[in-house]
Amino acid sequence: MTTPVVAIAYYSGYGHTTVLAEAVRDGAVQAGAVVHLIKVDQITDEQWGLLDASDAIVFGSPTYMGTASGAFHQFAESTSKRWSVHSWKDKLAAGFSNSGAKSGDKLHTLQYFTVLAAQHGMTWVNLGLHPGWNSSTASEDDLNRLGFYLGVGAQTPTDQGPEAVHKADMATAEHLGRRVAEQARIYAAGRAAVGA
């Protein structure tokens, strides 16, 4: 059985997104993956190599002014060298974002990640969950409490630190990590079976 390698490429301005990145990592490790946490604003040549060698890359950023942070955008633009030679083609991709508001236009950030992945020829892994907290018998503690499909959308009050990241959002991020690792294993087994 192949051990999937998952890289989490993320930016965190105040620490909230780091908490989510660590939760994605924990979920992927639970599913048997080797995981690399990579802060995109501090990326090294060695870490670029880790991204290139990964089976899946999970993108993460807070949502600032309706999109991913400027630091994440700078990283994305720096991937053009990989784009030009198809370095990330056929890798898996997924994403997560946090903002102060329950919506906060995080959907736009997740869509930005999907377009970035598509330009690289990557295959997107969605959250694979129904929305939580959407009926009178549901709870704010449900997985996917904010009802995103593309990836993890988390909300933390702007006047609270990383310790206030909602436990349900952390659990949803762990779920995404497990899902990405499991899909990477299935993807690799399929490639091996067809000799691709």
Side-chain angles (χ1 to χ4, degrees), residues 148-162:
F148 285 85
Y149 289 91
L150 278 184
V152 176
Q155 180 268 334
T156 311
T158 57
D159 59 351
Q160 294 186 330

Side-chain angles (χ1 to χ4, degrees), residues 8-91:
I8 302 167
Y10 74 99
Y11 172 77
S12 186
Y14 299 98
H16 307 92
T17 309
T18 295
V19 170
L20 294 172
E22 290 169 348
V24 173
R25 175 202 60 202
D26 293 349
V29 167
Q30 291 166 15
V34 171
V35 182
H36 305 292
L37 280 176
I38 298 171
K39 295 181 178 180
V40 299
D41 59 325
Q42 301 171 9
I43 194 166
T44 64
D45 288 341
E46 178 185 359
Q47 290 173 323
W48 278 112
L50 293 174
L51 288 171
D52 295 342
S54 295
D55 299 304
I57 301 174
V58 183
F59 301 123
S61 173
T63 295
Y64 293 155
M65 302 307 294
T67 189
S69 67
F72 191 92
H73 276 266
Q74 186 173 6
F75 159 76
E77 290 179 18
S78 297
T79 69
S80 62
K81 293 176 184 174
R82 270 93 188 144
W83 170 84
S84 66
V85 294
H86 303 287
S87 296
W88 294 357
K89 185 177 180 185
D90 296 329
K91 290 184 185 298

Side-chain angles (χ1 to χ4, degrees), residues 71-131:
F72 191 92
H73 276 266
Q74 186 173 6
F75 159 76
E77 290 179 18
S78 297
T79 69
S80 62
K81 293 176 184 174
R82 270 93 188 144
W83 170 84
S84 66
V85 294
H86 303 287
S87 296
W88 294 357
K89 185 177 180 185
D90 296 329
K91 290 184 185 298
L92 299 182
F96 59 95
S97 186
N98 182 79
S99 71
K102 287 203 170 18
S103 170
D105 294 318
K106 289 183 282 284
L107 177 59
H108 184 259
T109 299
L110 293 172
Q111 290 170 328
Y112 169 73
F113 292 156
T114 64
V115 172
L116 174 63
Q119 289 197 346
H120 280 285
M122 303 170 82
T123 299
W124 189 259
V125 178
N126 60 47
L127 194 52
L129 288 173
H130 288 297

Side-chain angles (χ1 to χ4, degrees), residues 181-193:
E182 290 162 0
Q183 293 302 310
R185 181 177 291 109
I186 291 167
Y187 203 69
R191 280 184 164 186

